[in-house]
Amino acid sequence: MRPLFLCILLVACAVAAPALASDLLILQSSRSPVYSEALRGLRAAARTNEQPLVLSDYAEVDVQRLVREERPRLVVAVGDQALSACRKIREVPVVSMLSLSLSQKPQSDRVGGIAMVAPPERYLEVFSHLGAKRVGVLYDPKLSGLYLKRAAADAADYGITLTMEPVRHSRDLQGKLEKLKGEVDLLWLLPDSTVVTTVNMEALLLFSMTQGIPTVTFTGQYLRDGAAASLDVDPYDIGVQTGELVSSLLRNGTYQKIPVLDPRKVRLQVNDSVLRKLRLRLP
């Protein structure tokens, strides 16, 4: 009877035992090549077992329930949709990458990751090299207020004055541009969805040309439309940086505050013809 009893006990324990938890639950907003490149970097830097899920493949995903069932040590949110889906998670920390909202809104101590915009000081360096002293920037306070607060704190060190015009609705942009006429010698564009729309981009770059001032943007795709320079982030290196943060948290404990870090690798791109026309140079 004793061997039979032990056998029954072992079977019962095996049935009752939960599945082995993964280190990471990776929530990917959609099947984007940019996200794939970032995940390639993450996997190169962090050797972990993972459970990936692409949210766009499903009509609806109960992320809270998924976390309770999978019991990961960390959740990695890739993109804004994924970070938004994680807003109610309390059981485990969330590490985000390639999400603009990470640096646009205050996060809890259990949410952090790698921001998606170049550090303000990198932009200020470019403005300084271009000889700009008065920099105009249009922004939605809800989306870019925190970032510009950092920029304003450092601007004086570069001899730069920021003229910041709040735009709370995209249709208000033209009136705000009128206020900047003759008051700035460079236009700075942030990845702010209220300001940077298809219609507004035409008005912004036209303003730049008619005023004879350079525009510095966050992506090289606007260089062909007349922007003078851009600071682009590197998705692969953001993935590597995220992987290093993940590895550190798994090694040292996920109970600590999760930091929000600036991307460390930024690429300067320029439109040589625009710079020549404005008689400007960048090293």
Side-chain angles (χ1 to χ4, degrees):
M1 289 295 293
R2 185 176 179 81
L4 178 60
F5 173 77
L6 287 174
C7 184
I8 293 172
L9 182 61
L10 288 171
V11 170
C13 289
V15 171
L20 183 63
S22 301
D23 289 327
L24 305 181
L25 171 62
I26 297 179
L27 297 179
Q28 185 176 335
S29 296
S30 62
R31 294 188 181 277
S32 159
V34 175
Y35 294 159
S36 297
E37 184 70 359
L39 286 170
R40 191 169 69 86
L42 184 148
R43 287 164 180 146
R47 303 293 182 180
T48 62
N49 56 79
E50 63 182 55
Q51 178 66 39
L53 180 74
V54 181
L55 295 178
S56 62
D57 289 351
Y58 303 89
E60 187 175 345
V61 178
D62 188 339
V63 173
Q64 279 184 292
R65 179 179 176 182
L66 189 62
V67 168
R68 286 195 300 269
E69 291 177 350
E70 296 294 331
R71 299 185 303 108
R73 296 176 64 192
L74 283 173
V75 174
V76 174
V78 187
D80 281 311
Q81 183 186 353
L83 182 57
S84 177
C86 294
R87 66 187 182 276
K88 294 183 180 179
I89 294 177
R90 298 291 181 269
E91 297 89 345
V92 297
V94 176
V95 176
S96 172
M97 64 177 178
L98 297 181
S99 171
L100 282 171
S101 59
L102 180 66
S103 54
Q104 289 174 343
K105 302 173 184 177
Q107 307 293 333
S108 75
D109 288 353
R110 303 289 278 168
V111 178
I114 312 302
M116 200 178 166
V117 188
E121 58 268 22
R122 295 296 302 273
Y123 279 105
L124 293 168
E125 288 170 5
V126 173
F127 304 157
S128 181
H129 284 306
L130 289 170
K133 299 297 182 183
R134 304 172 302 165
V135 173
V137 56
L138 303 162
Y139 73 106
D140 185 334
K142 292 181 179 179
L143 300 180
S144 305
L146 287 175
Y147 182 85
L148 280 178
K149 187 176 181 180
R150 290 178 57 196
D154 293 335
D157 294 338
Y158 293 84
I160 292 170
T161 300
L162 292 180
T163 301
M164 301 183 288
E165 285 292 336
V167 179
R168 292 178 172 81
H169 195 284
S170 59
R171 64 172 175 263
D172 300 333
L173 180 112
Q174 195 61 54
K176 298 294 184 176
L177 278 176
E178 290 295 320
K179 291 185 176 182
L180 295 181
K181 281 186 176 179
E183 299 297 322
V184 298
D185 43 35
L186 185 145
L187 187 63
W188 181 16
L189 300 188
L190 295 172
D192 187 311
S193 57
T194 302
V195 174
V196 180
T197 65
T198 302
V199 173
N200 283 351
M201 276 306 301
E202 294 181 14
L204 289 162
L205 293 172
L206 180 62
F207 174 86
S208 172
M209 287 187 283
T210 56
Q211 294 294 302
I213 62 173
T215 295
V216 176
T217 83
F218 55 94
T219 172
Q221 75 180 66
Y222 295 127
L223 295 179
R224 62 178 178 267
D225 299 321
S230 70
L231 284 177
D232 295 64
V233 296
D234 183 332
Y236 179 83
D237 194 67
I238 283 181
V240 172
Q241 199 174 349
T242 304
E244 292 170 356
L245 176 58
V246 163
S247 295
S248 174
L249 291 169
L250 293 175
R251 183 172 59 249
N252 299 318
T254 57
Y255 53 84
Q256 59 192 289
K257 180 179 179 180
I258 313 300
V260 176
L261 306 174
D262 288 320
R264 63 191 172 194
K265 190 173 182 180
V266 179
R267 184 161 60 108
L268 173 66
Q269 298 192 81
V270 300
N271 183 325
D272 288 320
S273 62
V274 170
L275 290 177
R276 282 196 299 270
K277 185 176 180 181
L278 296 173
R279 298 181 180 179
L280 297 171
R281 291 183 63 190
L282 274 171

